[in-house]
Amino acid sequence: MKKVMAIGLWLLASCAMAQTDIWRQDSIEEVVVTGTGTRHLLKDAPVQTEVITQQMLSQYGGKSLEEILAGLTASFAFNEGDMGSQMQLNGLGNSYILILVDGKRIHGDVGGENDLGLIDPQNIEKIEIVKGAQSALYGSDAMAGVINIITKKHSEAGFYVDNSTRYGSHNDLRQHNTVAFTLGKFNSQTNFQLQRNDGWQNTAEEWAEGVVLTDSRNKTVNEYRNWQVAERLTYQPMKGLELYAEGSYYKKNILRPQNGRHPSCDVYTYDLRYNNASASVGGKWNNITLDVDWNKHAYYYDYTAKHYDYVLLQGEEYGDQNGEWFSVAMMPGQSKLQSDQQRVMAQLKGIFNLPYDNMLNAGAEYRYDYLKAPERTETGTADDWTGAVYVQDEWHYVCGNGIATNVTAGLRLVDNHNFGFRLTPKVSTMASVGDFRFRLGWSQGFKTPTVKELHYRYLHIMGSSMFFNIGNVNLDPQTSNYYSANVEYRGRRFTAAVTGYLNKLDRMIALVNVSESEIPPGVTQAYMGDGSTKVQARMYKNMDDARTSGVDVTLSYRLLPELTLNGAYSYLDTKAHLYDEKTDRMTTVVIDGTAHHKWSASALYSHAFTRVYKLGVSLSTRGSSKRYYQNNGDGKGYQIWRISTTHDFPFKASKFKIQAVRLEFGVDNIFNYVDRTMHPYHLGNNTSGTTVYGTFSIKFSGGKRVKQNNILSTKQNNNDEQD
């Protein structure tokens, strides 16, 4: 069946090659902002930018950001777990990937993972991806790249209301609502999302307590429920000035089954609960923007069975600063805070036109991080602050005869209260010759250890193995040098891009096995005490160096005005030096989670049969070679196919009437691929097999929509910055 589908796509492409019609691709006129912080047409962006357009999002029908990124690009890999998504971009993990929502950092790290459930897929307008630390605008979190989620904005005169309800296998429910209205100079937009899933179990085999269970009740993906409400208010008192205030609240519960045969496994004795909150205020006056943000992310254990926990009591009355450990029984119904992360961030930035076709982007940032973890840090709390200033200049010169050049150079000066000052330069160049673009880039990165890497300590259970992960206050900052070269062709029907990159990291931070003698005083008793359970201590340490390199290829061909074929391929190679305590020497290893080959492809078809009905069909596939891991076996390679259909019924809006109705139906994992490797070693892919879904969406509008032109003049491109 796979061969038949592939041959069908090839025959369709062969027949369409004879077409002589010429039309413009919508993506040529796409406007991007992430690479430089200023608006550019995609084809003229000085920094290579990958875009997931609204059409791709709409027809693919992904239920989550993880599903969208994995299915529509080839550079990402995910391990979805209870605490979030262990994401990888070109070989580097979560802490090296900066995720923005409308240009602002999301906040939601737990255990080195990001909870991408904070982002509602139904509220995404498009996604921009910039790989590598290629911009001076972004700090230490962007060594691997930047993902900028552009959300939908509603500026209707009057009211706008929409509803989207999706239901699928495993009682997967996704509810989205937006209510927006504009009254004169005032605008309000309220978004609500709800997600729930019963979870699933791919295998009843589990490695636990030193034996293989054959009737485990532990699930591959546990049952979860989460909801979020967000509000944004904007006010425009005069032309060129906009003020805003926004906030959100998010709650997630993860329900985990108990395992009666092995109650000593503490992973079965409590559920997980996350509470997030955020608030922001700011404004934009012409090309100057000021933002102040506060974010809170806390997670708790909600106990479902009796559990003995260790509590560290500190102070002079308990001997010394190391304190004493006591065993405390937690009963069903009780809760305990594990971690409360809070962040305050202020940003001031502006764009200024300079003589000789130069445009200066300058800004200043201040970030304060606070961590409260009563039983997971030395004193119960820890904090950190970082200040930064940056400048970036764009120089654009048109040579004539379809030839133009662009040079973008920037400097970022960082001051961290633990590690002092560091200056990092960035340079990129682009030459455009007709429909061809040639880009070169070099940038340095500087990343200080996070509060958790310095101070956090926790017990991680993997099957029958128990790892005591320990922070290290003696860590040094990480540095990097990123080199990239890109060739891109953008014609009217066909686009192709090839990018090669090399990312060299020095003193990369990773968890390394250590002996008991290396554990800080006062923490050994907690998890290493009686010797009845073997626990391996791991500490955050600076590795000697690491390197990631690879090639990314993207292709798109518009066969017909209504049919587009897309393809992407990513080759990745990684190497790192890791200390081996058995041989007392550094060894060369592959970075955990590396897959040498990843790919994705899709065929998008859309046709309006009448003025009141439009059909969309998306056939897509994604795959990966095996993923390499040091301790837990390699993850299996896979190939997954998906088909989704959309059925639009547009209405002519007048006063408060229905604007549009949409039905969606889809089947994911058509050929029912399932990784049956025993829990918890299913490290390739955790899909449950073939799943189906359906979505009903409806939009109401109480006035005429304000038309916004997405194609900007050259002057606008040079003067406007990211919204």
Side-chain angles (χ1 to χ4, degrees):
M1 186 61 182
K2 295 180 185 178
K3 293 181 179 179
V4 170
M5 296 170 72
I7 292 171
L9 287 175
W10 180 80
L11 289 173
L12 184 59
S14 300
C15 294
M17 290 290 285
Q19 298 289 329
T20 58
D21 301 85
I22 296 178
W23 49 82
R24 294 189 64 85
Q25 284 184 289
D26 294 338
S27 61
I28 291 179
E29 307 303 337
E30 193 78 45
V31 175
V32 295
V33 297
T34 306
T36 61
T38 52
R39 295 177 182 267
H40 292 274
L41 297 179
L42 177 59
K43 65 184 180 68
D44 296 325
V47 176
Q48 170 67 12
T49 305
E50 188 174 341
V51 176
I52 299 177
T53 65
Q54 175 57 215
Q55 181 191 12
M56 298 168 69
L57 290 166
S58 176
Q59 292 191 236
Y60 184 74
K63 68 179 181 181
S64 64
L65 184 61
E66 294 96 328
E67 206 170 83
I68 290 168
L69 292 175
L72 295 177
T73 68
S75 301
F76 290 93
F78 292 90
N79 275 346
E80 295 185 50
D82 285 345
M83 302 181 75
S85 294
Q86 293 181 352
M87 178 169 49
Q88 221 182 47
L89 171 59
N90 287 345
L92 297 179
N94 291 59
S95 62
Y96 301 94
I97 305 170
L98 178 61
I99 303 176
L100 308 174
V101 177
D102 293 327
K104 298 178 183 178
R105 290 167 169 81
I106 70 164
H107 186 59
D109 164 66
V110 175
E113 303 174 0
N114 288 311
D115 185 1
L116 300 183
L118 289 161
I119 300 170
D120 182 0
Q122 291 290 333
N123 198 39
I124 299 176
E125 180 68 29
K126 66 176 179 178
I127 302 173
E128 298 179 7
I129 303 166
V130 175
K131 298 171 185 175
Q134 297 196 68
S135 176
L137 278 64
Y138 309 112
S140 61
D141 298 332
M143 279 186 172
V146 180
I147 305 169
N148 193 8
I149 313 296
I150 311 298
T151 62
K152 296 176 180 177
K153 308 296 191 301
H154 302 282
S155 54
E156 288 76 5
F159 282 85
Y160 171 88
V161 179
D162 72 28
N163 173 86
S164 177
T165 304
R166 170 180 171 141
Y167 184 77
S169 303
H170 310 298
N171 283 325
D172 186 82
L173 175 65
R174 310 276 164 155
Q175 177 66 38
H176 161 85
N177 293 97
T178 295
V179 177
F181 64 90
T182 300
L183 296 175
K185 300 178 180 180
F186 177 81
N187 176 268
S188 168
Q189 181 170 322
T190 306
N191 292 303
F192 171 82
Q193 68 157 325
L194 180 147
Q195 303 174 2
R196 62 151 298 157
N197 190 296
D198 287 347
W200 60 84
Q201 184 185 59
N202 288 343
T203 176
E205 286 191 328
E206 179 179 1
W207 179 252
E209 300 297 311
V211 298
V212 177
L213 304 179
T214 58
D215 59 350
S216 171
R217 289 182 291 177
N218 198 24
K219 294 184 177 182
T220 304
V221 172
N222 285 315
E223 179 180 356
Y224 63 86
R225 304 166 185 167
N226 63 279
W227 61 270
Q228 181 185 49
V229 61
E231 171 67 27
R232 179 179 173 87
L233 304 171
T234 60
Y235 177 63
Q236 294 180 306
M238 64 180 69
K239 184 178 180 180
L241 176 62
E242 180 180 271
L243 306 175
Y244 81 91
E246 62 184 13
S248 68
Y249 181 79
Y250 171 88
K251 183 176 181 179
K252 182 174 184 177
N253 293 89
I254 298 171
L255 311 177
R256 309 194 295 181
Q258 296 184 42
N259 194 324
R261 288 188 55 190
H262 290 264
S264 62
C265 293
D266 68 346
V267 294
Y268 306 119
T269 59
Y270 52 84
D271 294 333
L272 303 176
R273 171 166 51 91
Y274 307 125
N275 289 346
N276 279 38
S278 69
S280 304
V281 294
K284 179 179 179 181
W285 179 54
N286 294 323
N287 294 324
I288 298 176
T289 304
L290 173 66
D291 297 297
V292 180
D293 307 315
W294 169 82
N295 293 269
K296 174 186 175 71
H297 184 85
Y299 88 98
Y300 301 80
Y301 287 170
D302 290 340
Y303 291 93
T304 57
K306 189 174 182 179
H307 172 85
Y308 287 95
D309 205 355
Y310 286 96
V311 176
L312 177 63
L313 300 179
Q314 296 174 312
E316 294 182 359
E317 64 270 33
Y318 299 104
D320 57 23
Q321 62 179 351
N322 297 327
E324 295 183 8
W325 290 92
F326 292 86
S327 178
V328 177
M330 302 301 298
M331 305 303 294
Q334 291 185 304
S335 297
K336 181 184 288 187
L337 173 69
Q338 301 300 311
S339 172
D340 180 1
Q341 301 174 81
Q342 298 189 40
R343 184 193 69 199
V344 176
M345 191 164 186
Q347 295 178 294
L348 176 64
K349 55 186 178 181
I351 296 178
F352 310 93
N353 287 319
L354 301 178
Y356 306 107
D357 296 315
N358 284 267
M359 182 167 53
L360 183 69
N361 193 328
E365 299 176 356
Y366 175 81
R367 173 174 172 169
Y368 175 74
D369 288 286
Y370 171 80
L371 171 65
K372 180 181 179 181
E375 297 171 16
R376 298 186 178 218
T377 58
E378 301 94 324
T379 61
T381 62
D383 61 1
D384 184 41
W385 64 259
T386 301
V389 293
Y390 64 84
V391 291
Q392 178 176 280
D393 182 64
E394 293 181 52
W395 176 70
H396 186 74
Y397 179 70
V398 178
C399 306
N401 299 320
I403 301 175
T405 59
N406 180 286
V407 177
T408 301
L411 291 172
R412 185 179 184 91
L413 178 64
V414 177
D415 178 24
N416 180 269
H417 92 288
N418 285 317
F419 301 99
F421 289 90
R422 182 61 181 254
L423 185 68
T424 54
K426 329 273 181 176
V427 178
S428 64
T429 64
M430 183 189 72
S432 60
V433 182
D435 291 330
F436 286 90
R437 303 293 184 270
F438 304 90
R439 299 180 178 91
L440 293 174
W442 166 71
S443 61
Q444 285 190 344
F446 176 69
K447 180 174 174 58
T448 59
T450 66
V451 174
K452 284 192 170 183
E453 290 169 341
L454 291 168
H455 303 284
Y456 207 57
R457 55 180 70 144
Y458 62 98
L459 189 67
H460 177 69
I461 299 177
M462 183 74 172
S464 62
S465 301
M466 301 178 69
F467 300 97
F468 181 31
N469 298 335
I470 310 166
N472 183 358
V473 295
N474 296 315
L475 290 172
D476 293 325
Q478 305 165 87
T479 58
S480 70
N481 279 276
Y482 181 83
Y483 308 88
S484 65
N486 166 261
V487 179
E488 181 181 273
Y489 171 80
R490 286 192 172 273
R492 294 180 178 271
R493 297 170 59 181
F494 177 70
T495 67
V498 179
T499 303
Y501 62 89
L502 172 64
N503 202 353
K504 301 178 67 175
L505 290 87
D506 189 31
R507 307 196 66 76
M508 182 178 179
I509 294 175
L511 280 168
V512 178
N513 293 342
V514 296
S515 63
E516 187 172 335
S517 62
E518 296 182 77
I519 301 175
V523 301
T524 305
Q525 307 95 308
Y527 299 106
M528 316 290 287
D530 58 10
S532 60
T533 303
K534 181 174 177 55
V535 180
Q536 174 63 59
R538 298 190 300 184
M539 181 182 292
Y540 286 103
K541 285 194 170 185
N542 292 104
M543 292 193 289
D544 184 34
D545 59 60
R547 174 187 61 78
T548 67
S549 59
V551 177
D552 293 336
V553 180
T554 59
L555 303 168
S556 181
Y557 187 73
R558 182 75 67 90
L559 295 176
L560 301 167
E562 300 161 326
L563 177 63
T564 302
L565 299 183
N566 301 299
Y569 167 76
S570 179
Y571 171 77
L572 171 66
D573 184 45
T574 68
K575 285 184 173 61
H577 288 127
L578 186 67
Y579 175 73
D580 185 344
E581 65 173 358
K582 293 181 180 179
T583 61
D584 192 28
R585 66 179 60 182
M586 302 298 289
T587 59
T588 301
V589 299
V590 176
I591 294 177
D592 272 1
T594 294
H596 288 313
H597 310 279
K598 296 190 291 293
W599 58 90
S600 67
S602 64
L604 304 179
Y605 173 79
S606 178
H607 180 72
F609 288 91
T610 67
R611 291 186 177 181
V612 295
Y613 175 65
K614 182 179 181 180
L615 171 67
V617 181
S618 169
L619 175 64
S620 60
T621 183
R622 59 187 174 94
S624 172
S625 60
K626 71 177 180 180
R627 303 181 67 185
Y628 295 90
Y629 291 88
Q630 295 300 310
N631 296 324
N632 303 309
D634 296 331
K636 294 180 179 179
Y638 61 88
Q639 174 92 11
I640 294 176
W641 288 80
R642 173 192 183 99
I643 188 169
S644 60
T645 64
T646 59
H647 310 266
D648 289 298
F649 304 90
F651 290 80
K652 185 177 181 181
S654 60
K655 296 184 180 180
F656 194 80
K657 292 186 177 181
I658 297 175
Q659 191 179 74
V661 172
R662 162 173 281 201
L663 299 176
E664 298 179 37
F665 303 99
V667 181
D668 193 20
N669 200 351
I670 298 172
F671 300 104
N672 197 34
Y673 169 81
V674 181
D675 185 351
R676 302 291 185 186
T677 306
M678 74 172 67
H679 186 85
Y681 301 114
H682 43 79
L683 300 174
N685 187 287
N686 64 2
T687 178
S688 64
T690 301
T691 57
V692 298
Y693 74 91
T695 303
F696 171 76
S697 301
I698 187 168
K699 299 178 181 179
F700 299 89
S701 178
K704 295 183 179 180
R705 186 174 180 85
V706 178
K707 186 176 180 180
Q708 294 181 344
N709 191 356
N710 200 35
I711 304 174
L712 304 179
S713 67
T714 302
K715 183 176 180 180
Q716 287 175 307
N717 286 341
N718 290 337
N719 290 336
D720 291 344
E721 67 169 337
Q722 177 182 325
D723 287 339

